[in-house]
Amino acid sequence: AVAATLVERLPDFDDDDRSAALIALSHQPRLARALLDARPASAAEAGGPLGWSPLLYLTCSAIARERPATVPARVAIARRLLELGADATEFTRDSRLVQGQRTALSGAVVYARSAELLEALLDAGGARTERLWNTAILAHAVELDDPRALDLLLRLEPPGWELRGALGVAVARADAHAVRRLLAAGADPDASGIWGEAGGMLHRAVLERAGADVLAALLDAGADVERADRDGRTALRVAWRTGADAAAELLRARGARGEPDELDRLLAAAVRGDVEAVAAARERRPDPAAGLGRTDHQLLSWALRRGARAAVPALLRAGLDPDVPDDDGALPLGLAAAAGDAELASALLAAGAAVDARDVDGRTALDHALAAPAGPVRARTDGAEPDRARTVRVLTAAGADPAAVRDLPVLDDVLDRDLRARGAVERDELALLFERAADAVVDGDVETLRELLADEPALVHARSARPHRATLLHYVGANGVEEARQRTPARAVEVLDVLLAAGAEPDALARTYGGGPAQTTMALLVSSSHPAEAGLQAELVRALVAGGARPDGLDDDGLPLATAIAFRCPQAVAALAELARLDNAVFAAAAGRLDLLEREVGPDGRLRADAGRCRVPWLRTSADAAVGAQQALVAAAQHGHLDAVRFLLARGVDPRAGPDRGVTALHEACFAGHVDVVRCLVEAGADPRVREGVFRSTAIGWATEGRRDEVVEVLLELHEPDFYDCVDLGRVDLVRRWLDRDPALVDAPDGRGNVLRWAAKQGLRELLELLLERGADTTLADGQGRTALDLARAGGHDELVALLEERAR
């Protein structure tokens, strides 16, 4: 009866009504089928409150997903929608998500949580979307404990970053099966990530107490037991310091070397809550902070998250700093307050914790206390109930400012009345105002930004509601926030100055890219292409430092400069070379400082014994002195310092070496377009034919990617390019010459047909015609099942589509 009524009324429905009807019937396949049979075109029409298609509403809905009948109903409706023309590759922009996109495929995994629905979409060609890996879909499959969805996605050959993110989730969940599946698919067992503290997955497994089976899986896959985190600690040292005795035993059995030192024993005693042992050790340590790094101080938050109350006073006695946030951006005082633990809050305050410090969510400890017992920590292990009122009293007695409270009311009449009397106000519109202010930042609308900050000063400390939790200042970095807001306006420096003048914290952390000390505005700024393309990167760096940002990073380790070098941002490197310490050969070479290079590199082409070392994980100086000097040569070439290149070559540094995954100085000089450096390196023996290990590309490939036509011409003068370079360059005459020599190259590489697909995707008709003439196999597909014909269609290359369809007939 319902179906008959809906079908009868369907012609009177507008687009929104039709979509709403399909949403309402998303679990009733017979009724949905009746609607679709009455008006098949509605299967592909957008509408409804979000302007989505029926397929997106179906896949991106969590309604009734736990009911047994829901899964087959959704799958049946999805298959009918797809039969009628719905697009399995469909996506929509969604500014609420960090990635800025929501797809039908990710909806099937994240919202519907249905491997069957995912399979239906993949059967209909969903894997062919270019946006498949833009939504962390693999990590979600692991997080939601869906082995079948994981296996379906792994068949599609996910890229390295997707495997890395999913592996981190699997380790955190102690899911040994998923860990092994991801490693078998090519995930890097030494990948870094949050809670690995920029070490590797072994570090993370130890800290997360993932268990022997997870550790064994990583070790079986080749994880390096000697890999160090950003403070130089191996996984074995982390195990000693955190009392993970079983993990330490396993790591030693698998080759980890070393013995615990005094600091290891001190922290291990503190983690056990052995105050007497800590006191005895302190007697032998005149400087309590000596040797402690950020990762050691973060043990306070680690202990609080694990409910290890007894460890906290002992860790404080050992000298740990209560104001160091963990890599999730949480502060120890906030974690204690969130647990309603007045005793630990008092201990942290007595140790010097800043009472009104804001965490990555923009909340103070008082905010967290008012929200207790809910909070980001596990239940208290001593069985005591959280005591919100007492914790609030402890914090306010220590000077906590009620006016800084974010969330009123707190659903306690007495507390609400008291907080209002002391200056707290309701800020229901703060999130809305933040969105307006963020738009003003990225639009360069200085006038509107000033007005908003004047009307609501709390905005300057507010945080985005999105998972990245960025402040307004972070948006100036144009990196890690929502895609649509990653841009640098002409008035970006004025915007920066306005925010700093209003009290923005210059080195505030966010959760962009997993969190940690690299997520300051400075670190995001110096690794972003947007301020570089706007020509404002150097000016923004200087203004940020003038406003209080630390040019050498939060840990005084040179992280901003190391990041700018690693991300090939020469404007940022030039500015930081004036502001930061150049205390190692790579920094000196990137700055073109011959005087400093002479101090760091000896006449034998090796780093001197007393040379400085960069310890930032993505630019760490090699322990091999010869390789360390090669890293300096690469940096000098990357930044076009010909004198520095000649100096290092004259000292015997090998121009053919690729110290980081095979990337040579020649690769970097070609990408950056430094013609004089390119000639110098080739004359010194650098080989343009060498393919590095990251993209498997030669010097010509790097020059092409960097759009350095002049460099390409120079390289063509100096050597004969190989077959793949000729294809990349679109040089059909040279490709023909190679095919004459070796006809099997027509289905290169190795009979997999990527060359033909590449020509189809790029719309290179002459090259595609030559390959077809020589017998290229048009049925060969990539890991997502896409043939040359699929790619030509997706690219809108109609002439190539016609050629390929004719060949198929």
Side-chain angles (χ1 to χ4, degrees):
V2 173
T5 301
L6 286 172
V7 170
E8 181 181 347
R9 293 288 308 281
L10 197 62
D12 301 326
F13 288 177
D14 61 19
D15 288 342
D16 284 2
D17 291 334
R18 276 191 293 275
S19 295
L22 286 168
I23 299 166
L25 299 176
S26 60
H27 312 300
Q28 299 290 336
R30 285 191 303 160
L31 300 184
R33 181 178 291 274
L35 285 170
L36 290 168
D37 287 346
R39 194 171 186 279
S42 64
E45 291 176 349
L50 298 175
W52 291 356
S53 72
L55 187 63
L56 283 173
Y57 284 117
L58 181 75
T59 55
C60 296
S61 168
I63 296 171
R65 67 185 174 201
E66 307 302 333
R67 295 179 186 170
T70 297
V71 170
R74 281 193 204 233
V75 174
I77 297 169
R79 291 194 184 280
R80 182 58 177 156
L81 289 168
L82 293 164
E83 288 171 3
L84 294 173
D87 183 1
T89 69
E90 190 170 9
F91 78 103
T92 183
R93 298 200 179 279
D94 190 335
S95 61
R96 293 169 295 177
L97 304 179
V98 173
Q99 297 87 359
Q101 294 177 341
R102 188 190 302 274
T103 67
L105 285 162
S106 64
V109 174
V110 180
Y111 300 100
R113 298 187 182 178
S114 168
E116 294 85 350
L117 188 55
L118 174 65
E119 188 170 29
L121 293 166
L122 293 175
D123 289 345
R128 294 174 183 169
T129 176
E130 295 286 349
R131 302 170 185 85
L132 174 61
W133 305 116
N134 286 2
T135 52
I137 187 172
L138 196 65
H140 284 305
V142 175
E143 191 172 43
L144 299 171
D145 194 21
D146 194 337
R148 186 177 172 195
L150 177 62
D151 286 340
L152 287 169
L153 292 168
L154 288 177
R155 293 174 197 168
L156 305 178
E157 301 178 9
W161 73 82
E162 190 79 7
L163 289 165
R164 180 170 61 247
L167 182 60
V169 173
V171 169
R173 289 175 52 82
D175 186 341
H177 171 75
V179 168
R180 291 191 182 277
R181 289 287 295 114
L182 290 161
L183 291 168
D188 180 3
D190 284 325
S192 181
I194 191 167
W195 288 107
E197 294 170 337
M201 286 296 165
L202 284 176
H203 294 78
R204 179 166 190 162
V206 171
L207 286 165
E208 298 275 19
R209 297 293 195 259
D213 49 356
V214 170
L215 281 167
L218 293 167
L219 291 164
D220 290 344
D224 181 5
V225 292
E226 298 303 322
R227 183 181 177 89
D229 65 14
R230 62 173 171 260
D231 284 328
R233 308 175 312 169
T234 63
L236 178 59
R237 300 198 84 86
V238 173
W240 286 332
R241 294 182 180 204
T242 59
D245 297 335
E249 184 178 347
L250 175 58
L251 289 165
R252 296 199 72 162
R254 300 293 288 266
R257 301 187 302 274
E259 295 295 332
D261 61 17
E262 184 179 359
L263 187 55
D264 295 328
R265 289 189 286 270
L266 169 64
L267 292 174
V271 166
R272 293 194 305 270
D274 190 340
V275 178
E276 292 183 3
V278 170
R282 278 289 304 272
E283 293 295 325
R284 301 187 296 272
R285 289 173 55 83
D287 180 3
L292 292 172
R294 170 179 289 271
T295 49
D296 297 313
H297 294 297
Q298 289 177 327
L299 286 176
L300 271 173
S301 293
W302 174 84
L304 283 158
R305 286 181 181 276
R306 301 193 66 79
R309 296 188 74 252
V312 175
L315 287 167
L316 290 169
R317 185 77 183 271
L320 270 61
D321 185 346
D323 281 333
V324 174
D326 67 17
D327 277 3
D328 260 333
L331 288 161
L333 185 59
L335 292 169
D341 198 323
E343 291 83 1
L344 288 188
S346 295
L348 290 161
L349 288 165
V355 70
D356 279 331
R358 291 178 175 84
D359 63 15
V360 76
D361 289 314
R363 288 182 164 84
T364 65
L366 185 55
D367 283 310
H368 286 297
L370 292 168
V377 294
R378 302 173 188 181
R380 288 178 56 172
T381 56
D382 59 357
E385 290 294 322
D387 189 340
R388 176 166 70 171
R390 187 176 170 211
T391 306
V392 168
R393 287 196 299 273
V394 165
L395 292 169
T396 53
D401 182 7
V405 170
R406 276 187 40 164
D407 301 318
L408 279 183
V410 296
L411 304 182
D412 181 310
D413 291 342
V414 175
L415 275 176
D416 282 337
R417 186 168 57 251
D418 181 56
L419 289 167
R420 286 192 176 96
R422 300 176 64 181
V425 296
E426 293 186 31
R427 293 189 171 96
D428 293 337
E429 297 182 353
L430 190 62
L432 178 62
L433 291 174
F434 183 93
E435 293 300 308
R436 290 179 56 194
D439 283 338
V441 168
V442 301
D443 290 341
D445 188 348
V446 176
E447 292 73 24
T448 296
L449 181 61
R450 282 199 179 102
E451 290 175 9
L452 288 168
L453 291 170
D455 291 342
E456 180 49 89
L459 273 174
V460 79
H461 299 301
R463 298 277 182 160
S464 170
R466 295 173 179 78
H468 54 64
R469 296 294 190 265
T471 66
L472 292 173
L473 192 65
H474 283 101
Y475 280 86
V476 177
N479 194 353
V481 296
E482 50 274 24
E483 184 180 0
R485 282 180 170 153
Q486 290 184 31
R487 57 184 188 270
T488 300
R491 301 177 70 184
V493 178
E494 289 182 72
V495 167
L496 179 71
D497 289 340
V498 167
L499 290 170
L500 290 171
E505 184 183 344
D507 279 326
L509 294 172
R511 285 204 189 112
T512 46
Y513 303 113
Q519 306 312 311
T520 61
T521 299
M522 176 68 81
L524 295 170
L525 169 66
V526 301
S527 55
S528 174
S529 62
H530 304 288
E533 290 168 0
L536 294 173
Q537 198 168 43
E539 194 175 350
L540 285 166
V541 167
R542 294 186 182 99
L544 195 54
V545 172
R550 299 181 223 180
D552 293 306
L554 297 182
D555 293 329
D556 207 32
D557 56 0
L559 184 145
L561 181 52
T563 302
I565 294 170
F567 282 83
R568 302 179 178 87
C569 293
Q571 295 175 44
V573 170
L576 288 167
E578 305 165 2
L579 302 165
R581 290 196 322 276
L582 307 177
D583 57 3
N584 61 74
V586 173
F587 286 6
R593 290 284 300 275
L594 294 183
D595 56 329
L596 300 180
L597 277 176
E598 188 167 8
R599 185 186 70 193
E600 301 288 327
V601 181
D604 58 354
R606 302 166 62 87
L607 295 184
R608 298 182 188 275
D610 60 348
R613 294 291 197 275
C614 179
R615 56 191 175 93
V616 177
W618 43 91
L619 203 71
R620 181 173 283 141
T621 302
S622 172
D624 185 312
V627 176
Q630 293 160 12
Q631 290 175 296
L633 178 63
V634 170
Q638 180 185 22
H639 294 88
H641 297 305
L642 182 59
D643 288 345
V645 169
R646 286 174 172 161
F647 170 84
L648 292 167
L649 291 173
R651 294 222 157 180
V653 180
D654 187 357
R656 299 164 300 176
D660 180 14
R661 295 172 293 177
V663 176
T664 68
L666 183 60
H667 286 105
E668 292 288 3
C670 287
F671 183 76
H674 302 307
V675 175
D676 50 354
V677 175
V678 169
R679 288 189 180 277
C680 175
L681 289 167
V682 174
E683 289 168 2
D687 186 354
R689 291 179 291 271
V690 169
R691 290 186 177 274
E692 37 72 22
V694 184
F695 306 105
R696 301 298 303 159
S697 184
T698 65
I700 276 185
W702 279 59
T704 303
E705 184 66 21
R707 299 180 182 178
R708 308 295 183 180
D709 295 340
E710 185 179 358
V711 173
V712 171
E713 293 305 316
V714 168
L715 291 171
L716 289 174
E717 290 174 17
L718 296 173
H719 86 298
E720 180 186 19
D722 67 17
F723 173 73
Y724 299 101
D725 280 342
C726 296
V727 169
D728 286 343
L729 293 170
R731 291 292 298 269
V732 178
D733 55 333
L734 299 180
V735 173
R736 182 177 287 107
R737 187 184 304 170
W738 274 103
L739 290 173
D740 289 341
R741 296 178 194 168
D742 184 358
L745 288 172
V746 73
D747 284 328
D750 303 323
R752 296 197 298 270
N754 187 58
V755 171
L756 182 68
R757 290 193 298 275
W758 189 86
K761 182 177 180 179
Q762 300 298 320
L764 302 175
R765 175 169 182 158
E766 191 177 357
L767 177 59
L768 186 120
E769 286 178 330
L770 172 61
L771 294 170
L772 292 176
E773 172 192 315
R774 297 299 181 94
D777 186 347
T778 60
T779 67
L780 296 173
D782 63 13
Q784 293 175 235
R786 299 175 298 185
T787 65
L789 179 57
D790 295 323
L791 294 170
R793 283 174 177 156
H797 305 306
D798 295 338
E799 291 184 357
L800 274 60
V801 169
L803 286 171
L804 290 163
E805 286 180 337
E806 182 180 349
R807 173 57 63 93
R809 288 195 293 269

